[in-house]
Amino acid sequence: MGTKKTKNYINRNCSELISLIMVGETMQLLSGKWKMQIITFLLNNGKTRFMDLMRGVEGISPRLLSRELQELLESKMVVRYVTNTKLVTVEYELTEDGKTLKGLLISVANRGTAHLKYLASRE
Amino acid sequence: MGTKKTKNYINRNCSELISLIMVGETMQLLSGKWKMQIITFLLNNGKTRFMDLMRGVEGISPRLLSRELQELLESKMVVRYVTNTKLVTVEYELTEDGKTLKGLLISVANRGTAHLKYLASRE
DNA sequence: CGGTATCCGTAGCGATACTG
DNA sequence: CAGTATCGCTACGGATACCG
């Protein structure tokens, strides 16, 4: 492979290439230290209250949980349910769109263990 | 679902729950604004030189590309080849481990388009 | 309970210039 | 070509206190 002119780096739809733009887009939506864990928790446990999320996603602060939930609400990956307007009960749940992240999250989790094994095997 | 004692939120291996810890672990490894795009590009194009990565991953600075490549090298997801020690030719390539990210990246990219469609359908 | 307000440190990122 | 050095910013995240 010599240095021909300049390669065509723009992704063509007809090929099997993975779109850099879409990858960037998605990763931006999922950016934030806790977002993936929040989604994972909701995937595992379904509709969940704020304080239960606090307990479930270990280490997160209320400020950050609140912020990242809002971002997930904005991008429509999560819905918010308020039950008692006076005595306050709020639950969060993944939308249908949010639930489509399941396969992705499974891949992510599996890769975690696979990577650890890979590292172990090389040393 | 009332407020029973405290739910058991620790993931058990025997269930189908996705491990929060592994998700966190992986996402930390993949953190950095450009890492996923770099991996995607290498997945699409195979062994690639530094400057070609610069051109391929649009918007990235040499500083950041250098840094993120080093991190990928440290976590053994990428290999570095030097050909001419004097006239300098360097190429980067995914390791076998790095290549296992393909499914993940495809999910990520697909979700990008799916998400856009979802948003469009709701307004 | 379900958050927001405030404060603050640092790590992440960008732009640019420079080097072997 | 393949990076590193320097600089400066701001956005992200942590801790804590407080509010309806």
Side-chain angles (χ1 to χ4, degrees), chain A residues 17-99:
Chain A
L17 295 184
I18 302 167
S19 163
L20 288 195
I21 294 102
M22 282 304 139
V23 168
E25 202 82 20
T26 305
M27 291 321 290
Q28 192 177 328
L29 238 52
L30 296 177
S31 79
K33 188 169 178 184
W34 304 98
K35 220 156 283 173
M36 295 290 258
Q37 271 118 310
I38 293 169
I39 295 166
T40 302
F41 189 88
L42 289 175
L43 218 34
N44 286 339
N45 302 84
K47 204 182 283 185
T48 310
R49 302 177 66 172
F50 189 86
M51 286 310 279
D52 287 333
L53 276 167
M54 283 287 292
R55 281 184 274 273
V57 182
E58 227 153 318
I60 197 169
S61 72
R63 189 191 117 97
L64 267 277
L65 178 55
S66 176
R67 235 184 80 66
E68 307 225 326
L69 277 173
Q70 277 181 42
E71 290 170 13
L72 290 172
L73 286 167
E74 272 164 37
S75 55
K76 309 288 183 195
M77 300 210 277
V78 161
V79 247
R80 184 174 181 268
Y81 300 101
V82 186
T83 1
N84 304 326
T85 321
K86 256 346 183 196
L87 291 146
V88 196
T89 304
V90 180
E91 287 174 311
Y92 292 92
E93 192 177 27
L94 293 175
T95 60
E96 283 313 305
D97 187 52
K99 283 178 190 162

Coordinates of all heavy atoms in Angstrom, one line a residue, chain A residues 17-99:
Chain A
L17 N -18.8 0.1 6.3 CA -18.1 0.9 7.2 C -19.0 1.5 8.3 O -20.1 1.7 8.0 CB -17.4 2.1 6.4 CG -16.3 1.7 5.4 CD1 -15.7 3.0 4.8 CD2 -15.3 0.9 6.1
I18 N -18.4 1.6 9.4 CA -19.2 2.1 10.6 C -19.0 3.7 10.5 O -18.0 4.2 10.3 CB -18.6 1.6 11.9 CG1 -18.7 0.1 11.9 CG2 -19.3 2.2 13.1 CD1 -17.9 -0.5 13.0
S19 N -20.2 4.3 10.6 CA -20.2 5.8 10.5 C -19.5 6.5 11.7 O -20.0 6.4 12.8 CB -21.6 6.3 10.3 OG -21.6 7.7 10.6
L20 N -18.4 7.2 11.4 CA -17.7 7.9 12.5 C -18.7 9.0 13.1 O -18.7 9.2 14.3 CB -16.5 8.6 11.9 CG -15.3 7.8 11.6 CD1 -14.1 8.8 11.4 CD2 -15.0 6.8 12.6
I21 N -19.5 9.6 12.2 CA -20.4 10.6 12.7 C -21.4 10.1 13.7 O -21.6 10.6 14.7 CB -21.1 11.3 11.5 CG1 -20.1 12.0 10.6 CG2 -22.2 12.3 12.0 CD1 -19.7 11.3 9.4
M22 N -22.0 8.9 13.3 CA -23.0 8.3 14.2 C -22.4 7.9 15.5 O -23.0 8.0 16.6 CB -23.7 7.2 13.5 CG -24.7 7.6 12.5 SD -26.0 8.7 13.3 CE -26.2 10.0 12.1
V23 N -21.2 7.3 15.4 CA -20.5 6.9 16.7 C -20.3 8.2 17.6 O -20.6 8.1 18.8 CB -19.1 6.3 16.3 CG1 -18.3 6.1 17.6 CG2 -19.4 4.9 15.7
G24 N -19.8 9.2 17.0 CA -19.6 10.5 17.7 C -20.9 11.0 18.3 O -20.9 11.3 19.5
E25 N -21.9 11.0 17.5 CA -23.2 11.4 18.0 C -23.7 10.7 19.2 O -24.0 11.3 20.2 CB -24.2 11.2 16.8 CG -25.4 12.1 16.8 CD -25.1 13.5 16.2 OE1 -24.1 13.6 15.5 OE2 -25.9 14.4 16.6
T26 N -23.7 9.4 19.1 CA -24.1 8.5 20.2 C -23.3 8.7 21.4 O -23.8 8.9 22.5 CB -24.1 7.1 19.8 OG1 -24.9 6.9 18.6 CG2 -24.7 6.2 20.8
M27 N -22.0 8.7 21.2 CA -21.1 8.8 22.4 C -21.3 10.2 23.1 O -21.2 10.2 24.3 CB -19.7 8.6 22.0 CG -19.3 7.2 21.6 SD -20.2 5.9 22.5 CE -19.3 6.1 24.1
Q28 N -21.6 11.2 22.3 CA -21.9 12.5 23.0 C -23.1 12.4 23.8 O -23.2 12.9 25.0 CB -22.1 13.5 21.9 CG -22.0 15.0 22.4 CD -22.1 16.0 21.3 OE1 -21.6 15.7 20.2 NE2 -22.8 17.1 21.6
L29 N -24.1 11.7 23.3 CA -25.4 11.5 24.0 C -25.2 10.7 25.3 O -25.9 10.9 26.3 CB -26.4 10.8 23.2 CG -27.7 11.5 22.9 CD1 -27.5 12.9 22.3 CD2 -28.5 10.7 21.9
L30 N -24.2 9.8 25.3 CA -24.0 9.0 26.4 C -22.9 9.5 27.3 O -22.4 8.8 28.2 CB -23.7 7.6 25.9 CG -24.8 6.9 25.2 CD1 -24.4 5.5 24.7 CD2 -26.0 6.7 26.1
S31 N -22.3 10.7 27.0 CA -21.2 11.2 27.8 C -21.7 11.6 29.2 O -22.9 11.9 29.4 CB -20.7 12.4 27.1 OG -21.5 13.5 27.3
G32 N -20.7 11.6 30.0 CA -21.1 11.9 31.5 C -20.7 10.6 32.2 O -21.0 9.5 31.8
K33 N -20.0 10.8 33.3 CA -19.4 9.7 34.0 C -20.4 8.6 34.4 O -20.0 7.4 34.5 CB -18.7 10.2 35.3 CG -17.9 9.2 36.0 CD -17.0 9.9 37.0 CE -16.2 8.9 37.8 NZ -15.4 9.4 38.9
W34 N -21.6 8.9 34.7 CA -22.5 8.0 35.3 C -23.7 7.5 34.4 O -24.4 6.6 34.7 CB -23.2 8.6 36.5 CG -22.2 9.0 37.5 CD1 -21.7 10.3 37.7 CD2 -21.5 8.2 38.5 NE1 -20.8 10.4 38.7 CE2 -20.6 9.1 39.2 CE3 -21.5 6.9 38.8 CZ2 -19.8 8.6 40.2 CZ3 -20.6 6.4 39.8 CH2 -19.8 7.3 40.5
K35 N -23.8 8.1 33.2 CA -25.0 7.9 32.4 C -25.2 6.4 32.0 O -26.3 5.9 32.2 CB -24.8 8.7 31.1 CG -26.2 9.3 30.7 CD -26.0 10.6 29.8 CE -25.6 11.8 30.7 NZ -25.2 13.0 29.9
M36 N -24.1 5.8 31.6 CA -24.2 4.4 31.3 C -24.6 3.5 32.5 O -25.4 2.6 32.3 CB -22.9 3.9 30.7 CG -22.5 4.5 29.4 SD -23.6 4.1 28.0 CE -22.5 2.9 27.2
Q37 N -24.1 3.8 33.6 CA -24.5 3.1 34.8 C -25.9 3.3 35.2 O -26.6 2.4 35.6 CB -23.6 3.4 36.0 CG -22.3 2.6 36.1 CD -21.1 3.4 36.0 OE1 -21.0 4.2 35.0 NE2 -20.2 3.3 36.9
I38 N -26.4 4.5 35.0 CA -27.8 4.8 35.3 C -28.7 4.0 34.4 O -29.6 3.4 34.8 CB -28.1 6.4 35.1 CG1 -27.3 7.2 36.2 CG2 -29.6 6.6 35.2 CD1 -27.3 8.7 35.9
I39 N -28.4 4.1 33.1 CA -29.2 3.3 32.2 C -29.1 1.8 32.5 O -30.2 1.2 32.5 CB -28.6 3.6 30.7 CG1 -28.8 5.0 30.3 CG2 -29.3 2.7 29.7 CD1 -28.1 5.5 29.1
T40 N -27.9 1.3 32.8 CA -27.8 -0.1 33.1 C -28.7 -0.4 34.3 O -29.4 -1.4 34.3 CB -26.4 -0.4 33.4 OG1 -25.5 -0.1 32.3 CG2 -26.2 -1.9 33.8
F41 N -28.7 0.4 35.3 CA -29.5 0.2 36.5 C -30.9 0.1 36.2 O -31.7 -0.8 36.6 CB -29.2 1.2 37.6 CG -29.8 0.8 38.9 CD1 -29.1 0.1 39.8 CD2 -31.1 1.3 39.2 CE1 -29.7 -0.3 41.0 CE2 -31.7 0.9 40.4 CZ -31.0 0.1 41.3
L42 N -31.4 1.1 35.4 CA -32.8 1.1 35.0 C -33.2 -0.1 34.1 O -34.3 -0.6 34.2 CB -33.1 2.4 34.2 CG -33.1 3.7 35.1 CD1 -33.3 4.9 34.2 CD2 -34.2 3.7 36.1
L43 N -32.2 -0.5 33.3 CA -32.4 -1.7 32.5 C -32.6 -2.9 33.4 O -33.5 -3.8 33.2 CB -31.2 -1.9 31.6 CG -31.3 -2.3 30.2 CD1 -32.6 -1.8 29.5 CD2 -30.1 -1.9 29.4
N44 N -31.8 -3.0 34.4 CA -31.9 -4.2 35.3 C -33.1 -4.1 36.2 O -33.7 -5.1 36.5 CB -30.6 -4.2 36.2 CG -29.4 -4.7 35.5 OD1 -29.5 -5.3 34.4 ND2 -28.2 -4.3 36.0
N45 N -33.4 -2.9 36.7 CA -34.4 -2.8 37.8 C -35.7 -2.2 37.4 O -36.6 -2.1 38.2 CB -33.8 -2.1 39.0 CG -32.5 -2.8 39.5 OD1 -31.5 -2.5 39.0 ND2 -32.7 -3.6 40.5
G46 N -35.8 -1.7 36.2 CA -37.1 -1.1 35.8 C -37.3 0.2 36.5 O -36.4 0.8 37.0
K47 N -38.5 0.7 36.5 CA -38.9 1.9 37.1 C -38.3 2.1 38.5 O -38.5 1.2 39.4 CB -40.4 2.0 37.2 CG -41.0 3.4 37.3 CD -42.5 3.4 37.4 CE -43.2 3.1 36.0 NZ -44.7 3.2 36.1
T48 N -37.6 3.2 38.7 CA -36.9 3.3 40.0 C -37.0 4.7 40.5 O -37.0 5.7 39.8 CB -35.4 3.0 39.8 OG1 -35.3 1.8 39.1 CG2 -34.6 3.0 41.1
R49 N -37.0 4.9 41.9 CA -37.1 6.2 42.5 C -35.7 6.8 42.6 O -34.7 6.1 42.6 CB -37.8 6.1 43.9 CG -39.1 5.5 43.8 CD -39.7 5.3 45.1 NE -40.0 6.6 45.8 CZ -40.6 6.7 46.9 NH1 -41.1 5.6 47.5 NH2 -40.8 7.8 47.5
F50 N -35.7 8.1 42.8 CA -34.5 8.9 42.9 C -33.5 8.3 43.9 O -32.4 8.0 43.6 CB -34.8 10.4 43.2 CG -33.6 11.3 43.0 CD1 -33.3 11.8 41.8 CD2 -32.9 11.6 44.2 CE1 -32.2 12.7 41.7 CE2 -31.8 12.4 44.1 CZ -31.4 13.0 42.8
M51 N -34.0 8.2 45.1 CA -33.1 7.7 46.2 C -32.6 6.3 46.0 O -31.5 5.9 46.4 CB -33.9 7.8 47.6 CG -34.0 9.3 48.1 SD -32.4 10.2 48.0 CE -31.7 9.6 49.6
D52 N -33.4 5.5 45.3 CA -33.0 4.1 45.0 C -31.9 4.1 44.0 O -31.0 3.3 44.0 CB -34.2 3.3 44.6 CG -35.1 3.0 45.7 OD1 -34.6 2.9 46.9 OD2 -36.3 2.8 45.5
L53 N -32.0 5.1 43.1 CA -30.9 5.2 42.1 C -29.6 5.7 42.8 O -28.6 5.2 42.5 CB -31.3 6.3 41.0 CG -32.2 5.7 39.9 CD1 -32.7 6.9 39.0 CD2 -31.3 4.8 39.0
M54 N -29.8 6.6 43.7 CA -28.6 7.0 44.5 C -27.9 5.8 45.2 O -26.7 5.7 45.1 CB -29.1 8.0 45.6 CG -29.4 9.4 45.2 SD -28.0 10.3 44.8 CE -27.2 10.5 46.5
R55 N -28.7 4.9 45.8 CA -28.2 3.8 46.4 C -27.6 2.8 45.4 O -26.6 2.1 45.7 CB -29.3 3.1 47.3 CG -29.5 3.8 48.6 CD -30.5 3.1 49.5 NE -31.9 3.4 49.2 CZ -32.5 4.5 49.8 NH1 -31.9 5.2 50.6 NH2 -33.8 4.7 49.4
G56 N -28.3 2.7 44.3 CA -27.9 1.7 43.3 C -26.7 2.0 42.5 O -25.8 1.2 42.4
V57 N -26.6 3.3 42.1 CA -25.4 3.7 41.4 C -24.4 4.2 42.4 O -24.4 5.4 42.8 CB -25.7 4.8 40.4 CG1 -24.5 5.2 39.6 CG2 -26.8 4.2 39.4
E58 N -23.5 3.4 42.9 CA -22.7 3.7 44.0 C -21.7 4.8 43.7 O -21.0 4.8 42.7 CB -21.9 2.5 44.5 CG -22.0 2.3 46.0 CD -21.8 0.8 46.3 OE1 -22.5 -0.1 45.7 OE2 -21.1 0.5 47.3
G59 N -21.7 5.8 44.6 CA -20.7 6.9 44.5 C -21.2 8.2 43.9 O -20.6 9.2 44.0
I60 N -22.4 8.1 43.3 CA -22.9 9.3 42.6 C -23.5 10.3 43.6 O -24.0 9.9 44.7 CB -24.0 8.9 41.6 CG1 -24.2 10.0 40.6 CG2 -25.3 8.4 42.3 CD1 -25.1 9.7 39.4
S61 N -23.4 11.5 43.4 CA -24.0 12.6 44.2 C -25.3 13.0 43.7 O -25.6 12.8 42.5 CB -23.0 13.8 44.2 OG -23.1 14.5 43.0
P62 N -26.2 13.5 44.6 CA -27.5 13.9 44.1 C -27.4 14.9 43.0 O -28.2 14.9 42.0 CB -28.1 14.5 45.4 CG -27.0 14.8 46.3 CD -26.0 13.8 46.0
R63 N -26.5 15.8 43.1 CA -26.3 16.8 42.0 C -26.1 16.2 40.7 O -26.8 16.5 39.7 CB -25.1 17.7 42.4 CG -25.0 18.9 41.5 CD -23.6 19.6 41.7 NE -22.8 19.5 40.5 CZ -22.7 20.5 39.7 NH1 -23.4 21.6 39.9 NH2 -22.0 20.4 38.6
L64 N -25.2 15.3 40.6 CA -24.8 14.6 39.4 C -26.0 13.7 38.9 O -26.3 13.7 37.7 CB -23.5 13.8 39.5 CG -22.3 14.5 39.1 CD1 -22.0 14.5 37.7 CD2 -22.2 16.0 39.6
L65 N -26.6 13.0 39.8 CA -27.7 12.1 39.4 C -28.8 13.0 38.8 O -29.3 12.6 37.7 CB -28.2 11.4 40.6 CG -29.4 10.5 40.3 CD1 -29.1 9.5 39.2 CD2 -29.8 9.7 41.6
S66 N -29.1 14.1 39.4 CA -30.1 15.0 38.9 C -29.8 15.5 37.5 O -30.6 15.4 36.6 CB -30.3 16.1 39.9 OG -31.2 17.1 39.4
R67 N -28.6 15.9 37.4 CA -28.1 16.5 36.1 C -28.2 15.5 35.0 O -28.7 15.7 33.9 CB -26.7 17.1 36.3 CG -26.6 18.5 35.8 CD -25.1 19.0 35.9 NE -24.4 18.6 34.8 CZ -24.6 19.0 33.5 NH1 -25.6 19.9 33.3 NH2 -23.8 18.7 32.5
E68 N -27.6 14.3 35.2 CA -27.5 13.3 34.2 C -28.9 12.8 33.8 O -29.2 12.5 32.7 CB -26.6 12.2 34.6 CG -25.2 12.7 35.0 CD -24.0 12.0 34.4 OE1 -24.1 10.8 34.2 OE2 -23.0 12.6 34.1
L69 N -29.8 12.7 34.8 CA -31.2 12.3 34.6 C -31.8 13.3 33.7 O -32.6 12.9 32.7 CB -31.9 12.1 35.9 CG -31.8 10.8 36.6 CD1 -32.5 10.8 37.9 CD2 -32.3 9.6 35.7
Q70 N -31.6 14.5 33.9 CA -32.2 15.6 33.1 C -31.8 15.5 31.7 O -32.5 15.6 30.7 CB -31.9 17.0 33.7 CG -32.8 17.4 34.8 CD -32.5 18.8 35.3 OE1 -32.2 19.7 34.5 NE2 -32.5 18.9 36.6
E71 N -30.5 15.2 31.5 CA -30.0 15.1 30.1 C -30.6 13.9 29.4 O -30.9 13.9 28.3 CB -28.4 15.0 30.2 CG -27.8 16.3 30.6 CD -26.3 16.1 30.8 OE1 -25.7 15.1 30.5 OE2 -25.7 17.1 31.4
L72 N -30.7 12.8 30.2 CA -31.4 11.6 29.6 C -32.8 11.9 29.3 O -33.4 11.4 28.3 CB -31.2 10.4 30.6 CG -29.8 9.9 30.7 CD1 -29.8 8.8 31.8 CD2 -29.4 9.2 29.4
L73 N -33.5 12.7 30.1 CA -34.9 13.1 29.8 C -34.9 13.9 28.5 O -35.8 13.7 27.7 CB -35.4 13.9 31.0 CG -35.8 13.1 32.3 CD1 -36.0 14.0 33.4 CD2 -37.0 12.2 32.0
E74 N -34.0 14.9 28.4 CA -34.0 15.7 27.3 C -33.8 14.9 26.0 O -34.4 15.2 25.0 CB -32.8 16.8 27.4 CG -33.3 18.0 28.1 CD -32.1 18.9 28.6 OE1 -31.1 18.9 27.8 OE2 -32.2 19.4 29.7
S75 N -32.9 13.9 26.0 CA -32.7 13.1 24.8 C -33.7 12.0 24.7 O -33.6 11.1 23.9 CB -31.3 12.6 24.8 OG -31.0 11.9 25.9
K76 N -34.8 12.1 25.6 CA -35.9 11.1 25.5 C -35.5 9.7 25.7 O -36.2 8.8 25.2 CB -36.6 11.2 24.1 CG -37.0 12.6 23.7 CD -38.1 13.2 24.5 CE -38.5 14.6 24.1 NZ -39.4 15.3 25.1
M77 N -34.5 9.4 26.5 CA -34.1 8.0 26.7 C -34.7 7.6 28.1 O -34.7 6.4 28.4 CB -32.6 7.9 26.8 CG -32.0 8.3 25.4 SD -30.5 7.5 25.0 CE -29.3 8.5 25.9
V78 N -35.2 8.5 28.8 CA -35.8 8.2 30.1 C -37.1 9.0 30.3 O -37.2 10.1 29.7 CB -34.8 8.6 31.2 CG1 -35.5 8.7 32.6 CG2 -33.7 7.5 31.3
V79 N -38.0 8.4 31.0 CA -39.3 9.2 31.3 C -39.3 9.4 32.8 O -38.8 8.6 33.6 CB -40.6 8.5 30.9 CG1 -41.3 9.2 29.9 CG2 -40.3 7.0 30.6
R80 N -40.0 10.4 33.2 CA -40.2 10.7 34.7 C -41.6 10.7 35.0 O -42.5 11.2 34.4 CB -39.6 12.1 34.9 CG -39.6 12.6 36.3 CD -38.9 14.0 36.3 NE -38.7 14.6 37.6 CZ -39.6 15.4 38.2 NH1 -40.7 15.7 37.5 NH2 -39.4 15.8 39.4
Y81 N -41.9 10.0 36.1 CA -43.3 9.9 36.6 C -43.4 10.5 38.0 O -42.6 10.1 38.9 CB -43.7 8.4 36.7 CG -43.7 7.6 35.4 CD1 -42.6 6.8 35.1 CD2 -44.7 7.8 34.5 CE1 -42.6 6.1 33.9 CE2 -44.7 7.1 33.3 CZ -43.6 6.2 33.0 OH -43.6 5.5 31.9
V82 N -44.4 11.4 38.2 CA -44.6 12.0 39.5 C -46.0 11.4 40.0 O -46.9 11.6 39.3 CB -44.6 13.5 39.5 CG1 -44.8 14.1 40.9 CG2 -43.4 14.0 38.8
T83 N -46.0 10.8 41.1 CA -47.3 10.3 41.6 C -48.0 11.2 42.6 O -49.1 11.5 42.4 CB -47.0 8.9 42.2 OG1 -45.7 8.5 42.1 CG2 -47.8 7.9 41.4
N84 N -47.4 11.5 43.7 CA -48.1 12.4 44.7 C -47.5 13.8 44.6 O -46.4 14.0 45.1 CB -47.9 11.8 46.1 CG -48.4 10.4 46.2 OD1 -49.3 10.0 45.5 ND2 -47.7 9.6 47.0
T85 N -48.3 14.7 44.0 CA -47.8 16.0 43.9 C -47.4 16.7 45.2 O -46.6 17.6 45.3 CB -48.8 16.9 43.1 OG1 -49.5 16.1 42.1 CG2 -48.2 18.1 42.5
K86 N -48.1 16.2 46.3 CA -47.8 16.9 47.6 C -46.8 16.1 48.4 O -45.8 16.6 49.0 CB -49.1 17.0 48.4 CG -49.7 18.4 48.5 CD -48.8 19.5 48.1 CE -49.5 20.9 48.3 NZ -48.8 21.9 47.5
L87 N -46.9 14.7 48.4 CA -46.1 13.9 49.2 C -44.9 13.3 48.5 O -44.2 12.4 48.9 CB -46.9 12.8 49.9 CG -47.8 13.3 51.0 CD1 -49.1 12.5 51.0 CD2 -47.1 13.4 52.3
V88 N -44.7 13.8 47.3 CA -43.5 13.6 46.4 C -43.1 12.1 46.2 O -42.4 11.5 47.1 CB -42.3 14.3 47.0 CG1 -41.2 14.4 45.9 CG2 -42.7 15.7 47.4
T89 N -43.4 11.6 45.1 CA -42.9 10.3 44.7 C -42.6 10.4 43.3 O -43.4 10.6 42.4 CB -43.9 9.1 45.0 OG1 -44.3 9.2 46.3 CG2 -43.2 7.8 44.6
V90 N -41.3 10.2 42.9 CA -40.9 10.3 41.5 C -40.2 9.0 41.1 O -39.4 8.5 41.9 CB -39.9 11.5 41.4 CG1 -39.5 11.6 39.9 CG2 -40.6 12.8 41.8
E91 N -40.5 8.6 39.9 CA -39.9 7.4 39.4 C -39.4 7.7 38.0 O -40.0 8.4 37.2 CB -40.8 6.2 39.4 CG -41.1 5.7 40.8 CD -42.1 4.6 40.7 OE1 -43.2 4.8 40.2 OE2 -41.9 3.5 41.3
Y92 N -38.3 7.0 37.7 CA -37.7 7.2 36.4 C -37.7 5.8 35.7 O -37.6 4.8 36.3 CB -36.2 7.7 36.5 CG -36.1 9.1 37.0 CD1 -36.0 9.4 38.3 CD2 -36.2 10.1 36.1 CE1 -35.9 10.7 38.8 CE2 -36.1 11.4 36.5 CZ -36.0 11.7 37.9 OH -35.9 13.0 38.3
E93 N -37.9 5.9 34.4 CA -37.9 4.6 33.6 C -37.4 4.9 32.2 O -37.5 6.0 31.7 CB -39.4 4.1 33.5 CG -39.5 2.7 33.0 CD -40.9 2.2 33.0 OE1 -41.9 3.1 32.9 OE2 -41.2 1.0 33.1
L94 N -36.8 3.8 31.6 CA -36.3 4.0 30.3 C -37.5 4.0 29.3 O -38.5 3.4 29.5 CB -35.4 2.8 29.9 CG -34.1 2.7 30.7 CD1 -33.4 1.4 30.3 CD2 -33.2 3.9 30.3
T95 N -37.3 4.9 28.3 CA -38.3 4.8 27.2 C -38.0 3.6 26.3 O -37.0 2.9 26.5 CB -38.2 6.1 26.3 OG1 -36.8 6.1 25.8 CG2 -38.4 7.4 27.1
E96 N -38.9 3.4 25.3 CA -38.6 2.3 24.4 C -37.2 2.5 23.7 O -36.5 1.6 23.5 CB -39.7 2.3 23.3 CG -41.0 1.7 23.8 CD -40.8 0.4 24.5 OE1 -40.1 -0.5 23.9 OE2 -41.2 0.2 25.7
D97 N -37.0 3.8 23.4 CA -35.7 4.1 22.8 C -34.5 3.8 23.7 O -33.5 3.2 23.3 CB -35.7 5.6 22.4 CG -34.4 6.0 21.7 OD1 -34.2 5.3 20.6 OD2 -33.7 6.9 22.1
G98 N -34.7 4.2 25.0 CA -33.7 3.9 26.0 C -33.4 2.4 26.1 O -32.3 2.0 26.2
K99 N -34.5 1.7 26.0 CA -34.3 0.2 26.2 C -33.5 -0.4 25.0 O -33.0 -1.5 25.2 CB -35.7 -0.4 26.3 CG -36.3 -0.2 27.6 CD -37.7 -0.8 27.7 CE -38.4 -0.4 29.0 NZ -39.9 -0.6 28.9

